[in-house]
Amino acid sequence: MKKIIIPILVLLLLTGYTPYVEVNDLVIVDMLGLEKVDNDYILTINTVYEEKDNNATKSIYKDYVFKGKSLGKVFLEAKKINTKKAYYGHLKLVVFQSKLLDKELINYFQKEFKEMNYLIIGTDSRINDLFKKYNSSSKIIKAVNKEKISNADIHLATFEDYLKDIVNKKRTSTLPVVSLNNNNLVVKGLETYQKNILLSKEQAKITYLLNNKITSFHQSIKLNDKYYEVEFNNVKTLYQQGKVNLLMNIKCSDTSNKKIKELKKVVEELFRKEIDELLTFQNDNNIKLVLPSNDINIIIGADWS
């Protein structure tokens, strides 16, 4: 076996092949954004490369903008960046203009990109402005996850996850939509596939709860004209024999044991009201956001400190 491998390695070296040269011939794409303005597709590509400075290595991010009348043309323009081949193998995030993600676009991405495990979000802000404020995928993802932990009104999903809901047809695919507000990333809600209906932040939270996509979050709960900061942990949704059991533990350090039953009741009533509103909205708009059920049990435990 060695007699075969050695001549092949020698041949590769003689023909000028080295992994180092290959890497330096590539431009690594970290994230990309796609929008449509005046019938032109605008593709913003965020690239990353390593730069050494005083024996330390740091990541340098840079944006490139391409324009084209069609998806094929704009991505063809972006095939090479500064004479180097664009490499999408490390793509972490794709940002779509709000209401742009349709069947044609989904089919194109499914065909052109071998990997589908990159995260996707929508935005109603100009992508160039968004990328200037948050100049790497990690910064946007961190900002989004911060919102998820605080309010549970956004949940990052991959393109593959989005595609599965479309194919399975069990529930409507949703895309979280963010916006720049005073240079801060804020959540607008969830955009539904094809119908382009925007769910509010409250509807988004209940959608995630009933689809078992979140495990913890915080919320301010009003009781007797006083607000309590409540932490929700171990959130789980179980579907059993046509029934939906929504289980959670709540924790609040700013109350006494006498308030436990009252606070539990307020929390249950709050979620019951929001669930009913979501189911009504779902039926009125002929969409499937959660599995329909008239029997949803909310089971609340407590972990008080």
Side-chain angles (χ1 to χ4, degrees):
M1 186 68 179
K2 289 182 179 179
K3 292 180 180 179
I4 297 173
I5 293 174
I6 291 173
I8 291 175
L9 291 174
V10 172
L11 179 61
L12 289 173
L13 291 171
L14 288 174
T15 55
Y17 173 85
T18 65
Y20 180 82
V21 172
E22 287 292 330
V23 170
N24 280 274
D25 281 342
L26 299 176
V27 176
I28 309 300
V29 178
D30 174 55
M31 63 177 174
L32 64 84
L34 187 66
E35 54 198 325
K36 198 172 186 179
V37 180
D38 297 329
N39 295 319
D40 286 325
Y41 285 102
I42 299 175
L43 177 65
T44 305
I45 291 184
N46 176 267
T47 65
V48 58
Y49 66 92
E50 303 296 321
E51 186 178 86
K52 287 188 177 181
D53 183 23
N54 296 327
N55 296 323
T57 302
K58 61 179 181 179
S59 297
I60 306 296
Y61 296 90
K62 189 173 181 179
D63 292 343
Y64 297 88
V65 180
F66 302 89
K67 185 184 290 188
K69 292 292 183 183
S70 67
L71 289 170
K73 186 174 182 180
V74 76
F75 274 98
L76 184 62
E77 289 286 328
K79 192 174 183 180
K80 283 195 174 183
I81 300 174
N82 290 343
T83 72
K84 294 184 178 182
K85 182 180 179 181
Y87 178 66
Y88 294 91
H90 292 299
L91 182 64
K92 299 291 193 304
L93 176 70
V94 175
V95 182
F96 293 103
Q97 180 187 43
S98 180
K99 299 183 180 179
L100 185 66
L101 198 52
D102 58 11
K103 189 174 182 180
E104 178 191 2
L105 197 53
I106 288 170
N107 288 340
Y108 185 86
F109 270 75
Q110 190 180 3
K111 179 182 176 182
E112 295 297 323
F113 292 87
K114 293 180 180 179
E115 298 293 332
M116 295 189 291
N117 58 354
Y118 48 84
L119 299 170
I120 59 172
I121 60 172
T123 184
D124 60 2
S125 298
R126 290 300 300 267
I127 289 176
N128 193 40
D129 294 335
L130 180 63
F131 282 14
K132 282 182 180 178
K133 173 63 179 177
Y134 298 90
N135 68 347
S136 70
S137 63
S138 60
K139 289 183 179 180
I140 293 180
I141 292 168
K142 183 179 179 181
V144 168
N145 281 334
K146 185 179 178 182
E147 287 293 316
K148 182 181 73 172
I149 293 170
S150 299
N151 304 305
D153 48 25
I154 192 166
H155 176 84
L156 278 171
T158 65
F159 180 76
E160 186 175 19
D161 293 332
Y162 189 85
L163 198 61
K164 282 179 180 177
D165 282 340
I166 294 174
V167 173
N168 294 335
K169 297 181 180 179
K170 288 186 177 180
R171 63 168 176 254
T172 302
S173 288
T174 55
L175 182 73
V177 177
V178 299
S179 182
L180 274 180
N181 185 8
N182 295 324
N183 280 330
N184 291 318
L185 197 70
V186 296
V187 179
K188 299 296 289 290
L190 286 180
E191 184 179 286
T192 61
Y193 175 61
Q194 289 188 323
K195 287 182 176 290
N196 289 331
I197 297 170
L198 185 68
L199 280 69
S200 67
K201 295 172 66 173
E202 291 76 15
Q203 290 171 328
K205 179 184 65 181
I206 298 301
T207 301
Y208 292 143
L209 277 171
L210 294 180
N211 283 307
N212 215 15
K213 287 187 176 181
I214 53 176
T215 57
S216 63
F217 61 97
H218 297 77
Q219 186 167 330
S220 293
I221 303 295
K222 187 178 180 181
L223 175 62
N224 299 329
D225 295 323
K226 183 179 178 180
Y227 282 93
Y228 295 88
E229 290 299 319
V230 179
E231 180 180 332
F232 297 79
N233 294 311
N234 302 318
V235 181
K236 288 187 288 188
T237 305
L238 301 177
Y239 294 96
Q240 297 172 325
Q241 298 178 345
K243 296 182 180 180
V244 179
N245 291 324
L246 181 60
L247 299 87
M248 64 185 76
N249 292 330
I250 58 176
K251 181 178 180 181
C252 180
S253 58
D254 189 27
T255 189
S256 62
N257 289 335
K258 294 180 181 180
K259 294 288 183 182
I260 292 178
K261 289 185 179 180
E262 288 184 76
L263 200 53
K264 275 187 177 182
K265 186 177 179 180
V266 171
V267 169
E268 183 176 350
E269 289 174 352
L270 174 67
F271 282 121
R272 181 75 62 189
K273 179 175 179 290
E274 291 185 354
I275 288 170
D276 289 342
E277 288 176 354
L278 177 67
L279 292 175
T280 301
F281 178 89
Q282 175 175 284
N283 292 332
D284 290 346
N285 290 279
N286 193 28
I287 52 178
K288 296 178 182 178
L289 299 167
V290 297
L291 293 178
S293 174
N294 294 322
D295 196 353
I296 298 178
N297 301 316
I298 302 173
I299 303 168
I300 303 172
D303 178 16
W304 303 91
S305 61

